[in-house]
Amino acid sequence: IRVSGNGMLRLHDSVIKHNGREGISLRNSGLEATDTRVEVSGLLDRTDPRSGLIGTGGRGQRIELSNCTITENLLHGVQLDEWAGEVLISASHISANQRNGFLGNSLERAVFKDALISRNIGNGVVCNDSPIEIFQTVFEDNVGTGLVVTGGSGGSIEMSTFIGGSGITLDDVRDISIRGTVLRNGTFGVRSISSMPQLIGNHFDNNLTGLTVSGLKIPSEITDNSFIGNRIAISNQTNLQVSARKNYWGTTDSTVIKTMFEGDVDWQSFLLGIPQATDVEEFKEDSQSVHSKLQFKSPNPFNSNKHDLTVCFVWWIITNRYCTLYGVFVGTNSKTSRRASSNMT
């Protein structure tokens, strides 16, 4: 599909596959796609691979993907390095593309919510000089880095998960906040190059290096994080001192903690346990706080209805708790609730 001009292409419940060139090419046009699949683009000439979705121009326009799949394209999944508009990606899966899952440059804004970025041969998402917002998105087993943010980009990464490969690379990023995010089983969790991120309430688990800092600038804040099972918790490759007070290092033995760092890192004073501030909201019940997270929705294997979804709610608790589930059904004029039936877990 190739669209030119100032209009809007709307796709619903569509499949665009086995394309000679790009699956969708936008030349200054916008796109609203729901329940749409774009796969295996670029078959015409394998020496000239193409992307699933490509956009050029687009200033003042919007690309919105909801519940879409962009997969197995011979170049990038979504290529927007010459697109100047806004991009909103929600509840969508970008996977197994031969280069990057998503490539953006000088975008008006890029938003990822409840998305899954996995198994791309290059990086999962690359954004240069673009405001970026990432919420409840999973980056899993990309061959390159899960998320690469460069240039004048800024924004926030919240309640997301990075598993395998490498987590997040920030290169010359002035203002970005990373909160309530899990970075696990990677070569590194976060690599900060001449950048000043705020790292608050994150979990760095079982990485070769939890946080690597290099270049001329260092993170502005590193607090309330947990570093557990990393070979090196923080590697400081600059001539500056990195302040990392009030974090949990997986132990309270200071003789063990001080062996977890490379370079000049101020790690005292430290927390005695995993921070318990919740990602959803902070409240107290019987003087105990909780840490909770609503994860990416997925098909329910026990129900063949394609609209039926499983939503995983993770709840780290420090004492025993009871949890009651309710099914909420919303009609045109009414809203009712009932206790979950026995086939729910």
Side-chain angles (χ1 to χ4, degrees):
I1 298 177
R2 184 174 70 185
V3 183
S4 300
N6 296 318
M8 174 72 70
L9 170 65
R10 290 186 172 91
L11 296 173
H12 176 68
D13 200 15
S14 303
V15 178
I16 304 166
K17 66 179 182 179
H18 300 162
N19 309 293
R21 295 185 176 178
E22 293 85 5
I24 302 173
S25 176
L26 304 174
R27 301 184 178 184
N28 213 45
S29 302
L31 170 65
E32 291 181 0
T34 58
D35 300 301
T36 292
R37 186 178 183 92
V38 182
E39 61 178 276
V40 193
S41 301
L43 294 177
L44 184 63
D45 182 358
R46 291 182 179 271
T47 65
D48 183 22
R50 301 300 178 99
S51 301
L53 166 62
I54 188 171
T56 58
R59 185 173 301 278
Q61 293 277 35
R62 182 180 76 254
I63 293 174
E64 184 170 359
L65 307 179
S66 178
N67 199 30
C68 294
T69 298
I70 313 291
T71 187
E72 298 184 21
N73 299 287
L74 299 190
L75 191 61
H76 309 295
V78 179
Q79 182 179 351
L80 301 176
D81 52 335
E82 296 183 8
W83 175 262
E86 185 178 29
V87 183
L88 309 175
I89 297 177
S90 64
S92 295
H93 188 182
I94 302 176
S95 70
N97 299 287
Q98 293 300 302
R99 301 285 178 86
N100 301 312
F102 177 97
L103 175 63
N105 180 58
S106 298
L107 303 171
E108 180 181 339
R109 184 172 68 131
V111 179
F112 294 81
K113 182 178 180 181
D114 293 327
L116 175 60
I117 316 295
S118 68
R119 299 184 298 108
N120 296 287
I121 304 304
N123 302 307
V125 171
V126 178
C127 268
N128 175 60
D129 195 23
S130 307
I132 188 167
E133 301 173 24
I134 298 177
F135 183 71
Q136 283 186 302
T137 290
V138 176
F139 296 77
E140 185 172 13
D141 294 333
N142 296 285
V143 175
T145 302
L147 172 63
V148 178
V149 184
T150 63
S153 304
S156 63
I157 303 166
E158 297 188 8
M159 295 178 64
S160 294
T161 302
F162 294 79
I163 304 173
S166 301
I168 303 171
T169 292
L170 307 174
D171 191 347
D172 194 27
V173 179
R174 294 187 297 273
D175 183 20
I176 192 166
S177 168
I178 305 176
R179 297 173 181 263
T181 290
V182 176
L183 304 115
R184 185 169 68 229
N185 300 339
T187 305
F188 57 82
V190 175
R191 178 168 61 186
S192 176
I193 305 170
S194 295
S195 298
M196 302 177 65
Q198 297 175 334
L199 304 173
I200 302 171
N202 304 294
H203 298 267
F204 296 81
D205 299 333
N206 302 316
N207 304 287
L208 291 179
T209 303
L211 169 63
T212 298
V213 181
S214 62
L216 301 177
K217 301 175 184 177
I218 60 176
S220 60
E221 184 174 2
I222 308 172
T223 57
D224 290 328
N225 304 285
S226 67
F227 292 80
I228 299 176
N230 306 286
R231 186 178 65 84
I232 298 295
I234 298 178
S235 174
N236 180 11
Q237 301 170 10
T238 75
N239 295 323
L240 304 171
Q241 183 184 74
V242 171
S243 176
R245 296 187 175 191
K246 296 183 180 180
N247 295 284
Y248 178 61
W249 307 105
T251 180
T252 58
D253 187 342
S254 59
T255 61
V256 174
I257 295 174
K258 68 181 181 181
T259 66
M260 298 180 181
F261 309 102
E262 293 179 344
D264 189 359
V265 178
D266 180 9
W267 50 272
Q268 299 189 53
S269 58
F270 55 86
L271 300 180
L272 302 180
I274 297 175
Q276 295 297 323
T278 174
D279 293 329
V280 179
E281 62 180 16
E282 194 169 298
F283 65 96
K284 290 188 177 181
E285 180 181 333
D286 298 330
S287 299
Q288 302 290 347
S289 59
V290 303
H291 188 97
S292 56
K293 184 174 186 180
L294 192 64
Q295 291 191 333
F296 182 82
K297 53 184 177 291
S298 59
N300 184 346
F302 303 104
N303 192 324
S304 59
N305 185 342
K306 68 177 182 179
H307 298 295
D308 191 78
L309 298 172
T310 295
V311 178
C312 183
F313 185 70
V314 180
W315 194 7
W316 293 274
I317 54 178
I318 54 179
T319 61
N320 292 329
R321 289 285 188 271
Y322 290 99
C323 183
T324 303
L325 300 178
Y326 293 88
V328 178
F329 302 89
V330 181
T332 55
N333 297 312
S334 64
K335 178 175 179 179
T336 60
S337 299
R338 64 177 177 83
R339 188 178 295 273
S341 56
S342 60
N343 64 342
M344 295 183 66
T345 59

